[in-house]
Amino acid sequence: MPGMTARSRAERHRASTPLELFFDLCFVVAVAQAGGRLLHAVAEGHTVTGIVSYAAVFFAIWWAWVNFTWFASAYDTDDPLYRVVTFVQITGVLIFAAGVPRAFDAGDWTIGVVGYVVMRLALTSQWLRAAYCSRGAERRVALRYAVGITVVQLGWIGMLLLTDDTGWARAAVFVVLALAEMSVPAIAERDRATSWHPRHIGERYGLFTIIVLGETIAAATVAVQEAVDEHQALGELLPIAAGGLLIVFSAWWIYFAVPIHDYLRGSREAFVWGYGHYLIFGSAAAIGAGIEVAVEEAVGKAHVSDTVAAAAVTVPSALFLLTVWALHTRHFKRDLAEQLSLPVAALAILACTFAGGWAVLAAGLVAAATVAMGMMLSRRPAVTG
């Protein structure tokens, strides 16, 4: 068996590989499925159940990506065996994506769990290979990962055996298993961290943010195109399209305004930052679904009020700004004015919810103004004591 040794954190010019980029692109299918189901749920007036289902499905998508990304940052050998096992994980992603509609609409996770089994067995084999090629504390960490992933995966299979007419028992088990999943890295690395690369991890998360924002633009573009073709409602749709673009452009600008790898120096910071991206990725993807809801409401296809349609855009947009500030940008702010810019902008975007048909455009203008204000504040001379 070819060797799999840990890569060095001091490695220079570490960048994402073509295989990692391919892996990310395959997740677009699952993200698009989740966003599409959220759109239909909100447009039909099932907002609460839609959000709950979206949160559960997106957790599964996000966590599968997180597991691969952090392992690859520490152990990517890019040899034939590693590539083949990664292809197996990609296959599991596509199986999971095929099960998203059933999981979202009916709580039937059978296909989704089958896809997860494929992904997790492949990942477990990677950890076992790392354990085989290492010694001492590093070997113990790899074995803990392999055992932890296997045990929790058995829990997901067991969840399918529950007979629950109301769905509450299965929902409770889902939450427990999700918490168990997130505890595996903390337990496995309690006395030794894996050799993930700060610059590489920062780039990987940034690239997935780009993919999610790109999927948001694609979904919104298709929605506007279909609405124009069917209803010729260009006057109602232009403010939504313009506002949506401003929100997405501003989201990209704000996320990439700071060199986050300078902050990711220890496991404590990395765990909080990495886990918190569930909200960043999830809200970014939800913005696209929200824009689609606003489009459908504008042409009379959605069974919701204009306030609910606007909230489908403003709420995830505000959540994105708040979480990016909390996890990302606040560590690089110099004073109170810079610290308050994103929280205040999030509140202003939420206030735009009540602007009727102009809500999305208003939110987009607030987001763009926030970017401009941030540039002005950052260019001020530093105050020296």
Side-chain angles (χ1 to χ4, degrees):
M1 179 184 293
M4 175 179 273
T5 57
R7 301 183 67 158
S8 172
R9 284 195 181 184
E11 186 177 346
R12 301 187 66 181
H13 309 298
R14 179 73 187 277
S16 299
T17 65
L19 182 59
E20 288 176 314
L21 300 179
F22 184 45
F23 186 88
D24 290 357
L25 285 174
C26 292
F27 268 84
V28 171
V29 180
V31 172
Q33 289 275 20
R37 306 318 290 184
L38 177 62
L39 157 67
H40 293 302
V42 176
E44 293 297 322
H46 308 301
T47 303
V48 175
T49 56
I51 291 174
V52 171
S53 296
Y54 175 77
V57 169
F58 200 89
F59 170 83
I61 297 169
W62 164 78
W63 189 245
W65 181 86
V66 164
N67 277 236
F68 168 81
T69 297
W70 287 82
F71 177 86
S73 188
Y75 286 102
D76 183 1
T77 58
D78 202 32
D79 59 18
L81 180 57
Y82 178 87
R83 292 181 177 186
V84 170
V85 175
T86 301
F87 289 156
V88 174
Q89 288 179 268
I90 290 173
T91 302
V93 172
L94 298 178
I95 295 172
F96 177 85
V100 165
R102 288 189 178 187
F104 203 107
D105 298 336
D108 181 1
W109 285 84
T110 304
I111 297 176
V113 169
V114 169
Y116 236 61
V117 168
V118 174
M119 285 188 280
R120 308 297 269 176
L121 286 177
L123 180 62
T124 300
S125 73
Q126 296 278 49
W127 279 114
L128 289 174
R129 183 185 173 196
Y132 178 82
C133 300
S134 59
R135 295 292 181 270
E138 182 183 351
R139 177 184 174 86
R140 289 195 298 272
V141 171
L143 288 175
R144 286 174 192 155
Y145 265 110
V147 172
I149 291 170
T150 301
V151 169
V152 179
Q153 187 56 56
L154 291 174
W156 289 117
I157 296 173
M159 185 185 73
L160 298 179
L161 304 179
L162 286 176
T163 55
D164 177 25
D165 294 334
T166 64
W168 286 107
R170 182 168 291 184
V173 171
F174 185 99
V175 171
V176 170
L177 290 173
L179 293 174
E181 287 276 11
M182 292 188 291
S183 70
V184 169
I187 294 172
E189 300 186 31
R190 65 178 183 268
D191 53 9
R192 185 186 190 279
T194 55
S195 57
W196 50 271
H197 194 286
R199 187 178 293 273
H200 177 251
I201 284 294
E203 181 187 18
R204 297 289 295 117
Y205 273 72
L207 288 171
F208 199 73
T209 301
I210 290 174
I211 285 176
V212 173
L213 290 175
E215 170 58 29
T216 291
I217 290 179
T221 300
V222 171
V224 172
Q225 177 187 348
E226 291 178 351
V228 170
D229 291 343
E230 294 179 16
H231 301 278
Q232 300 295 322
L234 194 59
E236 292 83 355
L237 298 177
L238 276 179
I240 298 173
L245 283 177
L246 287 174
I247 290 171
V248 174
F249 292 162
S250 300
W252 176 90
W253 196 298
I254 290 167
Y255 185 90
F256 290 99
V258 297
I260 195 60
H261 59 271
D262 289 341
Y263 169 72
L264 299 177
R265 294 304 182 188
S267 294
R268 177 178 298 179
E269 296 91 350
F271 273 127
V272 173
W273 180 86
Y275 282 12
H277 267 71
Y278 166 67
L279 294 175
I280 292 178
F281 292 156
S283 59
I287 291 171
I291 294 173
E292 292 183 86
V293 171
V295 168
E296 293 202 357
E297 191 278 330
V299 297
K301 292 177 62 177
H303 304 295
V304 295
S305 66
D306 58 356
T307 301
V308 171
V313 179
T314 58
V315 171
S317 299
L319 180 60
F320 179 89
L321 293 186
L322 282 175
T323 49
V324 169
W325 168 78
L327 298 168
H328 214 65
T329 63
R330 70 181 177 88
H331 306 293
F332 299 87
K333 301 300 186 182
R334 298 178 299 174
D335 54 30
L336 185 61
E338 291 188 6
Q339 286 287 5
L340 289 177
S341 60
L342 288 182
V344 170
L347 292 175
I349 286 176
L350 286 177
C352 294
T353 303
F354 306 99
W358 298 96
V360 178
L361 179 58
L365 292 173
V366 170
T370 303
V371 171
M373 180 62 68
M375 292 177 61
M376 292 174 57
L377 291 174
S378 65
R379 290 178 178 176
R380 294 174 305 161
V383 178
T384 58

